[in-house]
Structures are given as structure tokens and as C-alpha cells.
């Protein structure tokens, strides 16, 4: 899945109201960032590099696997494929979204 497809997949998964109540940034390094502003309804998903309550750093391949259901978020975190900075409780809420 390319970066644009990942952005659209996240947009589809969070829908109008993800229940996050916080902002999350998926940081794929040189491939770009996907910012989800869950403080608003409808949620705003963009590729702007904005501040977030929680940042998840991962490769584009790992993000693609996560969105396709081939990478479990908890397992990805435990083996170091996902690095979380900021509010860990926000990252935990993501499990029900992605």
C-alpha cells in the first residue's frame, strides 16, 4: 500500500467519529506523516506535520501491514516496529480504530 492509500485507509477507518478525543500522528519518516485530529467531529485526517497528543513512528511497510490487519498493534509495539511517544492511553484507543 502506498502512502496515499494508507492516508485514505486511515480516513475510512476513523470515519466521522472515532471516539479518540485526541490527536494522533503516524510518522513514517521520509515517506510522510498522517495526522488524525480526533478532537473534532468529523475527524480531520491530513498529511500535515502538526503537533499531536500521541506520535506513532513506524515504516510505511509496517503502517500498511497494520492497516491491512497483518500486524497486530500490541505485537508491533513489543517487537519495536512501532514506537510510541506522548500519551500512551491514546495509542491504546487506536487498537479499536485500526
Amino acid at each position: 500500500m502506498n502512502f496515499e492509500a494508507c492516508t485514505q485507509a486511515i480516513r475510512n477507518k476513523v470515519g466521522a467519529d472515532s471516539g479518540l478525543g485526541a490527536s494522533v500522528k503516524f510518522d513514517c519518516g521520509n515517506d510522510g506523516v498522517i495526522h488524525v485530529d480526533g478532537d473534532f467531529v468529523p475527524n480531520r485526517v491530513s498529511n500535515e506535520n502538526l503537533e499531536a497528543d500521541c506520535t506513532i513512528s513506524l515504516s510505511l511497510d509496517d503502517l500498511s501491514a497494520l492497516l491491512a490487519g497483518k500486524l497486530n498493534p500490541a505485537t508491533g509495539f513489543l517487537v519495536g516496529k512501532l514506537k510510541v511517544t506522548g500519551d500512551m492511553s491514546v495509542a491504546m484507543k487506536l487498537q479499536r480504530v485500526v
Side-chain angles (χ1 to χ4, degrees):
M1 194 180 307
N2 66 28
F3 188 72
E4 281 299 314
C6 286
T7 300
Q8 189 58 45
I10 289 175
R11 189 172 284 124
N12 292 340
K13 286 181 182 282
V14 299
D17 184 12
S18 63
L20 286 175
S23 58
V24 178
K25 179 170 46 176
F26 293 91
D27 186 347
C28 297
N30 291 334
D31 289 311
V33 299
I34 302 171
H35 186 270
V36 179
D37 194 340
D39 286 327
F40 292 92
V41 176
N43 291 292
R44 298 178 186 166
V45 178
S46 72
N47 296 120
E48 296 178 72
N49 192 5
L50 302 171
E51 292 294 317
D53 298 312
C54 177
T55 299
I56 300 170
S57 302
L58 70 171
S59 71
L60 180 57
D61 288 340
D62 289 334
L63 177 58
S64 180
L66 181 73
L67 295 171
K70 296 178 181 175
L71 175 63
N72 179 287
T75 302
F77 178 76
L78 290 174
V79 299
K81 291 186 176 200
L82 312 173
K83 293 182 178 36
V84 179
T85 55
D87 190 340
M88 183 63 109
S89 67
V90 175
M92 298 301 289
K93 289 180 186 177
L94 277 175
Q95 284 190 330
R96 67 175 184 236
V97 176
V98 297

Coordinates of all heavy atoms in Angstrom, one line a residue:
M1 N 0.9 -1.2 0.0 CA 0.0 0.0 0.0 C 0.9 1.2 0.0 O 1.8 1.3 0.8 CB -0.9 0.0 1.3 CG -2.0 0.9 1.3 SD -3.1 0.8 2.8 CE -3.5 -0.9 3.0
N2 N 0.7 2.2 -0.9 CA 1.5 3.4 -0.9 C 1.0 4.4 0.1 O 0.0 4.1 0.8 CB 1.5 4.0 -2.3 CG 0.1 4.5 -2.8 OD1 -0.7 4.9 -2.0 ND2 -0.1 4.6 -4.1
F3 N 1.7 5.5 0.3 CA 1.4 6.5 1.3 C 0.0 7.1 1.2 O -0.8 7.2 2.1 CB 2.4 7.6 1.3 CG 2.3 8.5 2.5 CD1 2.6 8.0 3.8 CD2 1.8 9.8 2.4 CE1 2.4 8.9 4.9 CE2 1.6 10.6 3.4 CZ 2.0 10.2 4.7
E4 N -0.4 7.4 -0.1 CA -1.8 7.9 -0.3 C -2.9 6.9 0.1 O -3.9 7.3 0.7 CB -2.0 8.4 -1.7 CG -1.3 9.7 -2.1 CD -1.9 10.8 -1.2 OE1 -3.2 10.9 -1.1 OE2 -1.1 11.6 -0.7
A5 N -2.6 5.7 -0.2 CA -3.6 4.6 0.1 C -3.7 4.4 1.6 O -4.8 4.2 2.2 CB -3.2 3.3 -0.6
C6 N -2.6 4.6 2.3 CA -2.6 4.5 3.8 C -3.4 5.7 4.4 O -4.2 5.5 5.3 CB -1.2 4.5 4.3 SG -0.3 2.9 4.1
T7 N -3.2 6.8 3.8 CA -3.9 8.0 4.3 C -5.4 7.8 4.1 O -6.2 8.1 5.0 CB -3.4 9.3 3.6 OG1 -2.1 9.5 3.8 CG2 -4.2 10.5 4.0
Q8 N -5.8 7.3 3.0 CA -7.2 7.1 2.7 C -7.8 6.0 3.6 O -8.9 6.1 4.1 CB -7.5 6.8 1.2 CG -8.9 6.8 0.8 CD -9.6 8.1 1.1 OE1 -9.1 9.1 0.8 NE2 -10.8 8.0 1.7
A9 N -7.0 5.0 3.8 CA -7.4 3.9 4.7 C -7.7 4.4 6.1 O -8.7 4.0 6.7 CB -6.4 2.7 4.7
I10 N -6.8 5.2 6.6 CA -7.0 5.8 8.0 C -8.2 6.7 8.0 O -9.0 6.6 8.9 CB -5.7 6.5 8.4 CG1 -4.6 5.5 8.7 CG2 -6.0 7.4 9.6 CD1 -3.3 6.1 9.1
R11 N -8.4 7.5 6.9 CA -9.6 8.3 6.8 C -10.8 7.5 6.9 O -11.8 7.8 7.6 CB -9.5 9.1 5.5 CG -10.5 10.2 5.4 CD -10.3 11.1 4.2 NE -9.2 12.0 4.5 CZ -8.1 12.1 3.8 NH1 -7.9 11.4 2.7 NH2 -7.1 13.0 4.1
N12 N -10.8 6.4 6.2 CA -12.0 5.5 6.2 C -12.2 4.8 7.5 O -13.4 4.6 8.0 CB -11.9 4.4 5.1 CG -12.0 5.0 3.7 OD1 -12.5 6.1 3.5 ND2 -11.4 4.3 2.7
K13 N -11.1 4.4 8.2 CA -11.2 3.7 9.4 C -11.7 4.6 10.6 O -12.5 4.2 11.4 CB -9.9 3.0 9.8 CG -9.7 1.8 8.9 CD -8.4 1.1 9.3 CE -8.1 -0.1 8.5 NZ -8.8 -1.2 8.8
V14 N -11.2 5.8 10.6 CA -11.6 6.7 11.7 C -13.0 7.3 11.5 O -13.7 7.6 12.5 CB -10.6 7.9 12.0 CG1 -9.3 7.3 12.4 CG2 -10.5 8.8 10.9
G15 N -13.5 7.3 10.3 CA -14.9 7.7 10.0 C -15.1 9.1 10.5 O -14.3 9.9 10.7
A16 N -16.4 9.4 10.8 CA -16.8 10.7 11.3 C -16.4 10.9 12.7 O -16.1 12.0 13.1 CB -18.3 10.9 11.1
D17 N -16.6 9.8 13.5 CA -16.3 10.0 15.0 C -15.6 8.7 15.5 O -16.2 7.7 15.7 CB -17.6 10.2 15.7 CG -17.4 10.5 17.2 OD1 -16.2 10.7 17.6 OD2 -18.3 10.4 18.0
S18 N -14.3 8.8 15.7 CA -13.5 7.7 16.1 C -13.6 7.5 17.6 O -13.3 6.4 18.1 CB -12.0 7.9 15.8 OG -11.5 9.1 16.5
G19 N -14.1 8.5 18.3 CA -14.1 8.4 19.8 C -12.7 8.6 20.4 O -12.6 8.4 21.6
L20 N -11.7 9.0 19.6 CA -10.4 9.2 20.2 C -10.4 10.4 21.2 O -9.8 10.3 22.2 CB -9.4 9.5 19.0 CG -9.0 8.3 18.2 CD1 -8.1 8.8 17.1 CD2 -8.3 7.3 19.0
G21 N -11.0 11.5 20.8 CA -10.9 12.6 21.6 C -9.5 13.2 21.8 O -9.3 13.9 22.8
A22 N -8.7 12.9 20.9 CA -7.3 13.3 20.9 C -6.7 13.3 19.5 O -7.3 12.8 18.6 CB -6.5 12.4 21.8
S23 N -5.5 13.9 19.4 CA -4.8 13.9 18.1 C -3.7 12.8 18.1 O -3.1 12.6 19.1 CB -4.3 15.2 17.8 OG -3.4 15.7 18.7
V24 N -3.5 12.2 16.9 CA -2.5 11.2 16.7 C -1.8 11.4 15.4 O -2.4 11.8 14.4 CB -3.2 9.8 16.6 CG1 -2.2 8.7 16.4 CG2 -4.0 9.5 17.8
K25 N -0.5 11.2 15.5 CA 0.3 11.4 14.3 C 1.0 10.0 14.0 O 1.7 9.5 14.8 CB 1.3 12.5 14.4 CG 2.2 12.7 13.2 CD 3.1 14.0 13.3 CE 3.8 14.2 14.6 NZ 4.6 15.4 14.5
F26 N 0.9 9.5 12.8 CA 1.6 8.4 12.3 C 2.8 9.0 11.5 O 2.6 9.6 10.5 CB 0.8 7.5 11.4 CG -0.4 6.8 12.1 CD1 -1.6 7.4 12.1 CD2 -0.2 5.6 12.6 CE1 -2.7 6.8 12.7 CE2 -1.2 5.0 13.3 CZ -2.5 5.6 13.3
D27 N 4.0 8.8 12.0 CA 5.2 9.3 11.4 C 6.0 8.2 10.7 O 6.6 7.3 11.3 CB 6.1 10.0 12.5 CG 7.3 10.7 12.0 OD1 7.6 10.5 10.8 OD2 7.9 11.5 12.7
C28 N 6.0 8.3 9.4 CA 6.6 7.3 8.5 C 8.0 7.9 8.0 O 8.4 7.5 6.9 CB 5.8 6.9 7.4 SG 4.3 6.1 7.9
G29 N 8.6 8.8 8.7 CA 9.9 9.3 8.4 C 9.8 10.0 7.0 O 9.0 10.9 6.8
N30 N 10.7 9.7 6.1 CA 10.8 10.4 4.8 C 9.6 10.2 4.0 O 9.4 10.9 3.0 CB 12.1 10.0 4.1 CG 13.3 10.5 4.8 OD1 13.3 11.5 5.4 ND2 14.4 9.8 4.6
D31 N 8.8 9.1 4.3 CA 7.6 8.9 3.5 C 6.5 9.8 3.8 O 5.5 10.0 3.0 CB 7.1 7.4 3.7 CG 8.1 6.4 3.0 OD1 8.4 6.6 1.8 OD2 8.5 5.5 3.7
G32 N 6.5 10.5 5.0 CA 5.5 11.4 5.3 C 4.8 11.1 6.7 O 5.1 10.2 7.3
V33 N 3.8 12.0 7.0 CA 3.1 11.8 8.2 C 1.6 11.9 7.9 O 1.1 12.4 6.9 CB 3.4 12.9 9.3 CG1 4.8 12.9 9.7 CG2 3.0 14.3 8.8
I34 N 0.8 11.2 8.8 CA -0.6 11.2 8.7 C -1.1 11.7 10.1 O -0.8 11.1 11.1 CB -1.2 9.8 8.4 CG1 -0.7 9.3 7.0 CG2 -2.7 9.9 8.3 CD1 -1.0 7.9 6.7
H35 N -1.8 12.8 10.1 CA -2.3 13.4 11.3 C -3.8 13.2 11.4 O -4.5 13.5 10.5 CB -1.9 14.9 11.3 CG -2.3 15.5 12.6 ND1 -3.5 16.1 12.9 CD2 -1.5 15.7 13.8 CE1 -3.5 16.6 14.1 NE2 -2.3 16.4 14.7
V36 N -4.2 12.7 12.6 CA -5.6 12.5 12.8 C -6.0 13.4 14.0 O -5.5 13.2 15.1 CB -6.0 11.0 13.2 CG1 -7.4 10.8 13.5 CG2 -5.5 10.0 12.1
D37 N -6.9 14.3 13.7 CA -7.4 15.2 14.8 C -8.7 14.6 15.2 O -9.8 15.0 14.7 CB -7.5 16.6 14.3 CG -7.7 17.6 15.4 OD1 -8.1 17.1 16.5 OD2 -7.4 18.8 15.2
G38 N -8.7 13.8 16.3 CA -9.9 13.2 16.8 C -10.7 14.1 17.8 O -11.7 13.6 18.4
D39 N -10.2 15.3 17.9 CA -10.9 16.3 18.8 C -12.2 16.8 18.1 O -13.0 17.5 18.8 CB -10.0 17.4 19.2 CG -9.0 17.0 20.3 OD1 -9.3 16.1 21.1 OD2 -7.9 17.5 20.3
F40 N -12.2 16.7 16.8 CA -13.3 17.3 16.1 C -14.2 16.2 15.5 O -13.8 15.1 15.2 CB -12.8 18.1 14.9 CG -12.1 19.3 15.3 CD1 -10.7 19.3 15.5 CD2 -12.8 20.5 15.5 CE1 -10.1 20.5 15.9 CE2 -12.1 21.7 15.9 CZ -10.8 21.6 16.1
V41 N -15.5 16.5 15.3 CA -16.4 15.6 14.6 C -16.9 16.4 13.4 O -17.5 17.4 13.6 CB -17.6 15.1 15.5 CG1 -18.6 14.3 14.7 CG2 -17.0 14.4 16.7
P42 N -16.7 16.0 12.2 CA -16.0 14.8 11.8 C -14.5 14.9 12.0 O -13.9 16.0 12.1 CB -16.3 14.7 10.3 CG -16.5 16.1 9.8 CD -17.1 16.8 11.0
N43 N -13.8 13.8 12.2 CA -12.4 13.7 12.4 C -11.7 14.3 11.2 O -12.2 14.2 10.1 CB -11.9 12.3 12.6 CG -12.4 11.8 13.9 OD1 -12.0 12.2 15.0 ND2 -13.3 10.8 13.9
R44 N -10.6 15.0 11.5 CA -9.8 15.5 10.4 C -8.6 14.7 10.2 O -7.8 14.5 11.1 CB -9.4 17.0 10.7 CG -10.6 17.9 10.8 CD -10.2 19.3 11.2 NE -11.4 20.1 11.5 CZ -11.3 21.3 12.1 NH1 -10.2 21.8 12.5 NH2 -12.4 21.9 12.3
V45 N -8.3 14.2 9.0 CA -7.2 13.4 8.6 C -6.4 14.2 7.5 O -7.0 14.5 6.5 CB -7.5 12.0 8.1 CG1 -6.3 11.2 7.7 CG2 -8.3 11.3 9.2
S46 N -5.1 14.5 7.8 CA -4.3 15.2 6.8 C -2.9 14.7 6.8 O -2.5 13.8 7.6 CB -4.3 16.7 7.2 OG -3.5 16.9 8.3
N47 N -2.1 15.2 5.9 CA -0.7 14.9 5.8 C 0.2 16.0 6.3 O 1.3 16.1 6.0 CB -0.3 14.5 4.4 CG -1.0 13.2 3.9 OD1 -1.7 13.2 3.0 ND2 -0.9 12.1 4.7
E48 N -0.5 16.9 7.2 CA 0.3 18.0 7.7 C 1.1 17.5 9.0 O 0.6 16.7 9.7 CB -0.7 19.1 8.2 CG -1.4 19.7 7.0 CD -2.4 20.8 7.5 OE1 -1.9 21.8 8.0 OE2 -3.6 20.5 7.5
N49 N 2.3 18.0 9.1 CA 3.1 17.6 10.2 C 2.8 18.5 11.4 O 3.5 19.4 11.8 CB 4.6 17.7 9.9 CG 5.5 17.0 10.9 OD1 5.0 16.4 11.8 ND2 6.8 17.1 10.7
L50 N 1.7 18.2 12.1 CA 1.2 19.0 13.2 C 1.5 18.3 14.5 O 1.8 17.1 14.6 CB -0.3 19.2 13.1 CG -0.9 19.8 11.8 CD1 -2.4 19.7 11.7 CD2 -0.4 21.3 11.7
E51 N 1.5 19.1 15.6 CA 1.7 18.5 16.9 C 0.5 17.6 17.2 O -0.6 17.7 16.7 CB 1.7 19.6 18.0 CG 2.9 20.6 17.9 CD 4.1 19.8 18.3 OE1 4.1 19.0 19.2 OE2 5.1 20.1 17.6
A52 N 0.8 16.6 18.0 CA -0.2 15.5 18.4 C 0.0 15.1 19.8 O 1.1 15.2 20.4 CB -0.1 14.3 17.4
D53 N -1.1 14.6 20.4 CA -1.1 14.1 21.7 C -0.3 12.8 21.8 O 0.4 12.5 22.8 CB -2.5 13.8 22.2 CG -3.4 15.0 22.3 OD1 -2.9 16.1 22.8 OD2 -4.5 15.0 21.8
C54 N -0.2 12.1 20.7 CA 0.5 10.8 20.6 C 1.1 10.7 19.2 O 0.4 10.9 18.2 CB -0.5 9.6 20.9 SG 0.2 8.0 20.7
T55 N 2.3 10.3 19.1 CA 3.0 10.1 17.9 C 3.4 8.6 17.8 O 4.1 8.1 18.7 CB 4.2 11.0 17.7 OG1 3.8 12.4 17.7 CG2 4.9 10.7 16.4
I56 N 3.1 8.0 16.7 CA 3.5 6.6 16.4 C 4.5 6.6 15.3 O 4.1 7.0 14.1 CB 2.3 5.7 16.1 CG1 1.3 5.8 17.3 CG2 2.7 4.3 15.8 CD1 0.0 5.1 17.1
S57 N 5.7 6.2 15.5 CA 6.7 6.2 14.5 C 6.9 4.8 14.0 O 7.0 3.8 14.8 CB 8.1 6.7 15.0 OG 7.9 8.0 15.5
L58 N 6.8 4.6 12.7 CA 6.9 3.3 12.0 C 7.2 3.5 10.6 O 7.1 4.6 10.0 CB 5.6 2.5 12.2 CG 4.3 2.9 11.5 CD1 3.3 1.9 11.7 CD2 3.8 4.3 11.9
S59 N 7.6 2.4 9.9 CA 7.9 2.4 8.5 C 6.6 2.4 7.7 O 5.5 2.0 8.2 CB 8.8 1.3 8.1 OG 8.0 0.1 8.2
L60 N 6.6 2.8 6.5 CA 5.4 2.8 5.6 C 5.0 1.3 5.4 O 3.8 1.0 5.5 CB 5.7 3.4 4.3 CG 4.6 3.4 3.3 CD1 3.3 4.1 3.8 CD2 5.0 4.1 2.0
D61 N 5.9 0.4 5.3 CA 5.6 -1.0 5.2 C 4.8 -1.5 6.4 O 3.8 -2.3 6.3 CB 6.8 -1.9 4.9 CG 7.4 -1.7 3.6 OD1 6.7 -1.3 2.6 OD2 8.6 -2.1 3.4
D62 N 5.3 -1.1 7.6 CA 4.6 -1.6 8.8 C 3.3 -0.9 9.0 O 2.3 -1.5 9.5 CB 5.5 -1.3 10.1 CG 6.7 -2.2 10.1 OD1 6.6 -3.3 9.6 OD2 7.7 -1.8 10.7
L63 N 3.1 0.4 8.6 CA 1.8 1.0 8.6 C 0.8 0.3 7.7 O -0.3 0.0 8.0 CB 1.9 2.5 8.2 CG 0.6 3.3 8.2 CD1 -0.1 3.2 9.5 CD2 0.9 4.7 7.7
S64 N 1.3 -0.1 6.5 CA 0.5 -0.8 5.6 C 0.0 -2.1 6.1 O -1.1 -2.5 6.0 CB 1.3 -1.0 4.3 OG 0.5 -1.7 3.3
A65 N 0.9 -2.8 6.8 CA 0.6 -4.1 7.4 C -0.4 -3.9 8.5 O -1.3 -4.7 8.7 CB 1.9 -4.8 7.9
L66 N -0.2 -2.9 9.3 CA -1.1 -2.6 10.4 C -2.5 -2.3 9.9 O -3.5 -2.9 10.4 CB -0.6 -1.4 11.2 CG -1.4 -0.9 12.4 CD1 -1.2 -1.9 13.5 CD2 -0.9 0.5 12.8
L67 N -2.6 -1.5 8.9 CA -3.9 -1.2 8.3 C -4.6 -2.4 7.6 O -5.8 -2.5 7.6 CB -3.8 0.0 7.3 CG -3.4 1.3 8.0 CD1 -3.1 2.3 6.9 CD2 -4.5 1.8 9.0
A68 N -3.8 -3.3 7.1 CA -4.3 -4.5 6.4 C -4.7 -5.6 7.4 O -5.2 -6.6 7.0 CB -3.3 -5.0 5.4
G69 N -4.4 -5.4 8.7 CA -4.6 -6.4 9.7 C -3.6 -7.5 9.7 O -3.8 -8.5 10.4
K70 N -2.4 -7.3 9.1 CA -1.4 -8.2 9.1 C -0.4 -8.0 10.2 O 0.5 -8.9 10.5 CB -0.6 -8.2 7.8 CG -1.5 -8.6 6.6 CD -0.8 -8.6 5.3 CE -1.8 -9.0 4.2 NZ -1.2 -8.8 2.9
L71 N -0.5 -6.9 10.9 CA 0.4 -6.6 12.0 C -0.5 -6.2 13.2 O -1.2 -5.2 13.1 CB 1.4 -5.4 11.7 CG 2.3 -4.9 12.8 CD1 3.2 -6.0 13.3 CD2 3.1 -3.7 12.3
N72 N -0.4 -6.9 14.3 CA -1.1 -6.6 15.5 C -0.4 -5.4 16.2 O 0.8 -5.4 16.3 CB -1.1 -7.8 16.4 CG -1.9 -7.6 17.7 OD1 -1.3 -6.9 18.6 ND2 -3.0 -8.1 17.9
P73 N -1.2 -4.4 16.6 CA -0.6 -3.2 17.2 C 0.3 -3.5 18.4 O 1.4 -3.0 18.6 CB -1.7 -2.3 17.5 CG -2.9 -2.8 16.7 CD -2.6 -4.2 16.4
A74 N -0.3 -4.4 19.3 CA 0.5 -4.7 20.5 C 1.8 -5.5 20.2 O 2.8 -5.2 20.8 CB -0.4 -5.5 21.5
T75 N 1.7 -6.4 19.3 CA 2.9 -7.2 18.9 C 3.9 -6.2 18.2 O 5.1 -6.3 18.5 CB 2.5 -8.3 17.9 OG1 1.5 -9.1 18.6 CG2 3.7 -9.1 17.5
G76 N 3.4 -5.4 17.3 CA 4.3 -4.4 16.7 C 5.0 -3.5 17.7 O 6.2 -3.3 17.5
F77 N 4.3 -3.1 18.7 CA 5.0 -2.3 19.8 C 6.0 -3.1 20.5 O 7.1 -2.6 20.8 CB 3.9 -1.8 20.7 CG 4.5 -1.0 21.9 CD1 4.9 0.3 21.7 CD2 4.5 -1.5 23.1 CE1 5.4 1.1 22.7 CE2 5.0 -0.8 24.2 CZ 5.5 0.5 24.0
L78 N 5.7 -4.3 20.9 CA 6.5 -5.2 21.7 C 7.8 -5.5 21.0 O 8.9 -5.7 21.6 CB 5.8 -6.4 22.2 CG 4.7 -6.2 23.2 CD1 4.0 -7.5 23.5 CD2 5.4 -5.6 24.5
V79 N 7.7 -5.7 19.6 CA 8.9 -6.1 18.9 C 9.7 -4.9 18.3 O 10.6 -5.0 17.6 CB 8.6 -7.1 17.8 CG1 8.0 -8.4 18.3 CG2 7.7 -6.6 16.7
G80 N 9.2 -3.7 18.6 CA 9.9 -2.5 18.2 C 9.6 -2.0 16.8 O 10.3 -1.1 16.3
K81 N 8.5 -2.5 16.2 CA 8.2 -2.0 14.9 C 7.4 -0.7 15.0 O 7.4 0.1 14.0 CB 7.3 -3.0 14.1 CG 8.1 -4.2 13.7 CD 7.3 -5.1 12.8 CE 8.2 -6.3 12.3 NZ 7.7 -6.9 11.2
L82 N 6.7 -0.4 16.1 CA 6.0 0.8 16.4 C 6.7 1.4 17.6 O 6.8 0.8 18.7 CB 4.5 0.5 16.7 CG 3.7 -0.4 15.8 CD1 2.4 -0.6 16.5 CD2 3.6 0.2 14.5
K83 N 7.0 2.7 17.5 CA 7.5 3.4 18.7 C 6.5 4.5 19.0 O 6.1 5.3 18.1 CB 8.8 4.1 18.3 CG 9.9 3.0 18.1 CD 11.3 3.6 17.8 CE 12.4 2.6 17.7 NZ 12.1 1.4 17.0
V84 N 6.1 4.6 20.3 CA 5.0 5.5 20.7 C 5.7 6.6 21.6 O 6.4 6.2 22.6 CB 3.9 4.7 21.4 CG1 2.8 5.7 21.9 CG2 3.3 3.7 20.6
T85 N 5.4 7.8 21.3 CA 5.8 8.9 22.2 C 4.5 9.7 22.5 O 3.6 9.8 21.7 CB 6.8 9.8 21.5 OG1 6.4 10.3 20.3 CG2 8.1 9.1 21.4
G86 N 4.5 10.3 23.7 CA 3.3 11.1 24.1 C 2.4 10.2 24.9 O 2.8 9.3 25.6
D87 N 1.1 10.5 24.8 CA 0.1 9.9 25.6 C -0.2 8.4 25.2 O -0.9 8.2 24.2 CB -1.2 10.7 25.5 CG -2.3 10.3 26.6 OD1 -2.2 9.2 27.1 OD2 -3.2 11.1 26.8
M88 N 0.3 7.5 26.0 CA 0.1 6.1 25.6 C -1.4 5.6 25.7 O -1.8 4.7 24.9 CB 0.9 5.2 26.6 CG 0.8 3.7 26.3 SD 1.6 3.3 24.7 CE 3.0 2.5 25.2
S89 N -2.2 6.3 26.5 CA -3.6 5.9 26.5 C -4.3 6.2 25.2 O -5.2 5.5 24.8 CB -4.3 6.6 27.6 OG -4.4 8.0 27.4
V90 N -3.8 7.2 24.4 CA -4.4 7.5 23.1 C -4.0 6.4 22.2 O -4.8 5.9 21.4 CB -3.9 8.8 22.6 CG1 -4.3 9.1 21.1 CG2 -4.3 10.0 23.5
A91 N -2.8 5.9 22.3 CA -2.3 4.8 21.4 C -3.2 3.5 21.7 O -3.5 2.8 20.8 CB -0.8 4.5 21.7
M92 N -3.5 3.3 22.9 CA -4.4 2.1 23.3 C -5.7 2.2 22.7 O -6.3 1.2 22.2 CB -4.5 2.0 24.8 CG -3.1 1.8 25.5 SD -2.3 0.3 24.9 CE -3.3 -1.0 25.6
K93 N -6.3 3.5 22.6 CA -7.6 3.7 21.9 C -7.5 3.3 20.5 O -8.6 3.0 19.9 CB -8.1 5.1 22.1 CG -8.5 5.5 23.5 CD -8.9 6.9 23.6 CE -9.2 7.4 25.0 NZ -9.6 8.8 25.0
L94 N -6.4 3.5 19.9 CA -6.3 3.2 18.4 C -6.5 1.8 18.0 O -6.9 1.5 16.9 CB -4.9 3.6 17.9 CG -4.6 5.1 17.6 CD1 -3.2 5.3 17.3 CD2 -5.6 5.5 16.5
Q95 N -6.3 0.9 19.0 CA -6.5 -0.5 18.7 C -7.9 -0.8 18.2 O -8.1 -1.7 17.3 CB -6.2 -1.4 19.9 CG -4.7 -1.6 20.1 CD -4.4 -2.6 21.2 OE1 -5.2 -2.8 22.1 NE2 -3.3 -3.2 21.1
R96 N -8.9 -0.1 18.7 CA -10.2 -0.4 18.2 C -10.5 0.3 16.9 O -11.5 0.0 16.3 CB -11.2 0.0 19.3 CG -11.3 1.5 19.6 CD -12.4 1.8 20.6 NE -12.5 3.2 20.8 CZ -12.4 3.9 21.9 NH1 -12.2 3.2 23.0 NH2 -12.5 5.2 22.0
V97 N -9.7 1.3 16.5 CA -9.9 2.0 15.3 C -9.2 1.3 14.1 O -9.8 1.1 13.1 CB -9.4 3.5 15.4 CG1 -9.5 4.2 14.1 CG2 -10.2 4.2 16.5
V98 N -7.9 1.0 14.3 CA -7.1 0.4 13.2 C -7.0 -1.1 13.6 O -6.6 -1.9 12.8 CB -5.7 1.0 13.0 CG1 -5.9 2.4 12.6 CG2 -4.9 1.0 14.3

